[in-house]
Amino acid sequence: MTEAEKLFDMLRKVQEPKGYYFNKDRQRVLELLEALLTNKGRYGYMSCPCRLASGDRVNDQDIVCPCVYREADVKEFGSCYCNLYVSTAWNNEEIPHEYVPERRPPERLGF
């Protein structure tokens, strides 16, 4: 079992009872989980793999996965920004798969 698969099992047990499910595209999920593990090795924390981290944990605390934007994203769009965490309606294609806009304030984007 790969580290990403271990992380998948651990996170699924924690997140599903909260109503957050992994995208049904398992290959995509494992790629994102591998990227989270890469960021953990790089920065010491699992920053969102779909955003540019600064390397400063305090500055990046809002994008440590699961990010603080996930709840609003899943509520409004059925998916988080990365499409890692989704609702059952999203996975079942009962709602459209719309683009999830960036909610992170521009001053925190790390540019």
Side-chain angles (χ1 to χ4, degrees):
M1 182 177 279
T2 68
E3 291 302 308
E5 290 168 329
K6 290 176 189 175
L7 185 59
F8 177 94
D9 288 341
M10 191 262 308
L11 290 176
R12 190 185 68 203
K13 290 175 188 173
V14 172
Q15 299 302 324
E16 283 187 0
K18 297 177 183 178
Y20 298 103
Y21 301 88
F22 283 128
N23 185 327
K24 67 181 177 181
D25 181 346
R26 187 173 170 93
Q27 184 61 37
R28 171 77 174 141
V29 169
L30 291 175
E31 289 170 0
L32 289 168
L33 294 177
E34 287 173 14
L36 282 171
L37 291 167
T38 297
N39 283 346
K40 183 177 182 182
R42 184 179 291 150
Y43 304 119
Y45 52 93
M46 291 193 300
S47 65
C48 174
C50 302
R51 294 179 167 104
L52 182 61
S54 70
D56 176 354
R57 186 180 181 101
V58 172
N59 185 63
D60 293 341
Q61 67 187 5
D62 63 322
I63 61 168
V64 172
C65 190
C67 72
V68 300
Y69 311 105
R70 176 185 71 169
E71 182 177 352
D73 288 348
V74 172
K75 184 176 182 179
E76 185 174 348
F77 298 99
S79 170
C80 73
Y81 185 68
C82 294
N83 302 135
L84 177 63
Y85 289 108
V86 301
S87 67
T88 55
W90 193 93
N91 259 344
N92 293 336
E93 299 185 28
E94 296 167 1
I95 59 174
H97 292 186
E98 296 179 35
Y99 171 76
V100 179
E102 175 64 88
R103 292 183 192 267
R104 195 170 197 215
E107 64 271 11
R108 300 203 67 185
L109 292 178
F111 305 155

